[in-house]
Amino acid sequence: MADPAVALGRRRSASASWSRAAAYDRTHPQAADAVLAAGLAVLTGPYVVLHTAGGVAVWLCDAGLVLPLVWRRRYPEAVFAVLAAVALVQWVIAEPLASDVSLLVALFTVALQRPRRVAAAAGAVLEVGVVLASTRWNLAGSWDRSLIGLSGLAGVALLLGAALRERRAHLRELTERAARLESERDQQALIAAAAERTRIAREMHDVIAHSLAVIVTMADGAAAKLNRDPQQAGAAISSIAQVGRQALSDTRRLLGVLRDQVPDAGSPAPADLAPQPGLAELDGLMAQLRATGLDATVSYTGTMFPLAPGAQLTVYRLVQEAATNTLKHAPGATMVRVHVRWQEPTVEVRVIDNGPPPSTSPAQRPPVPAGGGHGIAGMRERVALYGGRVETGSLPGGGWVVRASFDANGGGRHGR
């Protein structure tokens, strides 16, 4: 009984040899075809010596049936035509040769590399040759058995080449489809990454711009009251520290999304896991504004209904950005009024301040362009996710209004 390890080694060696031969055939097709032609000449040459009368015509026909195979893959139709012509000369002046098998190789190559109609035409030509050979030479004892046998060989060569061609085409299609899917996956990943970067940039703008505006306003107020009212100045400074810590916490949370690596197990991450602000945090936002000296209030009308976290975040960021614009662009403003109106499924948010009237010089109230600026653009993008819109503009008696309305249930991307 053979050793299983030895048998396994032999199988692996044979598989490796076959893989190397297949790789050589793919990378050096003409050299491989030359080896095939040489091998066929070695195998069929003795038949000429042992079973024919020999002579120059026989040897020329034998060479003419073998040598063209060197170019069978480069010029399949031309090689088949040359072999068919040589076979016709052989039928006229010579005897049957073992090298006639080259016609089957040439037909297989045509069926493998060319369309079906070309392969069918080559098969028809070879079938004519089969009929001629069967009527002249009794290769199987009678012409009918010769016809059936040779026709069967030609049919096998034709069908085998066509089947292998279809298989290769199918594999090519699968490979191309896999490449397309991989490309689409990469594109979707890039789109998702770009959308996430946009979202993070919008969040960073909302957090940092608002916090810095609050800090600057409170710092100016604390500096003005430092000598006259140290106690109130100290409270303002404490509020500055609290707002700064909150901004730092929010910034760390947002930047944490950009990290590729998982945070260390021992590193604290309560800020990273903190929930996004919502309606419950509006009172805290108003308190921050009041700490800057603004009279800030929020009111509600209508029947409140549950909002998804993404919709709540949209409301909060709208109010935050509008209040930030008041601090940055309305230095004379003394109050901010926030009004939220519920009318299921619509939510309307309106933020009004009493900044300088429209007649005031632009230096006192720099205009906020309707289509520009990261803040206004961010508000429009957020509300657009829910099919809503944002309107901004000055009031007749002075002040500025930001009005947004959206369908809280209409967004397919409600955020995080």
Side-chain angles (χ1 to χ4, degrees), residues 148-234:
I148 294 173
L150 294 177
S151 297
L153 291 176
V156 168
L158 181 64
L159 294 177
L160 185 60
L164 188 55
R165 179 178 181 273
E166 293 296 327
R167 181 175 179 274
R168 287 184 178 180
H170 181 62
L171 289 177
R172 254 192 325 270
E173 181 182 355
L174 291 178
T175 303
E176 292 172 357
R177 183 183 303 174
R180 284 197 305 271
L181 291 175
E182 184 177 359
S183 175
E184 291 173 3
R185 182 201 64 191
D186 293 342
Q187 290 175 359
Q188 291 297 328
L190 291 176
I191 292 172
E196 185 67 6
R197 283 195 297 269
T198 302
R199 186 190 70 82
I200 293 173
R202 189 169 57 230
E203 291 288 320
M204 290 288 290
H205 172 271
D206 291 342
V207 170
I208 295 176
H210 172 77
S211 300
L212 288 180
V214 171
I215 288 172
V216 168
T217 303
M218 289 194 298
D220 290 341
K225 296 182 179 181
L226 188 59
N227 295 325
R228 291 181 299 168
D229 192 348
Q231 185 175 358
Q232 191 172 1

Side-chain angles (χ1 to χ4, degrees), residues 40-60:
L40 190 60
V42 170
L43 292 175
T44 60
Y47 183 88
V48 177
V49 176
L50 298 176
H51 299 285
T52 68
V56 175
V58 173
W59 282 107
L60 286 177

Side-chain angles (χ1 to χ4, degrees), residues 3 54 72 93 148 160 173 194 203 230 241 320 350-351 354 371:
D3 187 353
R72 70 182 182 93
I93 66 173
I148 294 173
L160 185 60
E173 181 182 355
E203 291 288 320
Q320 185 183 52
R350 188 173 55 191
V351 183
N354 63 342

Side-chain angles (χ1 to χ4, degrees), residues 310-365:
Q312 293 194 38
L313 176 64
T314 297
V315 173
Y316 182 90
R317 293 303 187 203
L318 281 169
V319 175
Q320 185 183 52
E321 178 59 32
T324 301
N325 286 340
T326 297
L327 292 173
K328 291 167 60 178
H329 302 293
T334 60
M335 70 88 175
V336 171
R337 296 287 181 263
V338 178
H339 181 69
V340 181
R341 186 169 71 91
W342 306 87
Q343 188 174 358
E344 191 172 3
T346 303
V347 177
E348 182 180 304
V349 181
R350 188 173 55 191
V351 183
I352 299 174
D353 66 42
N354 63 342
S359 58
T360 308
S361 65
Q364 290 179 281
R365 176 90 184 208

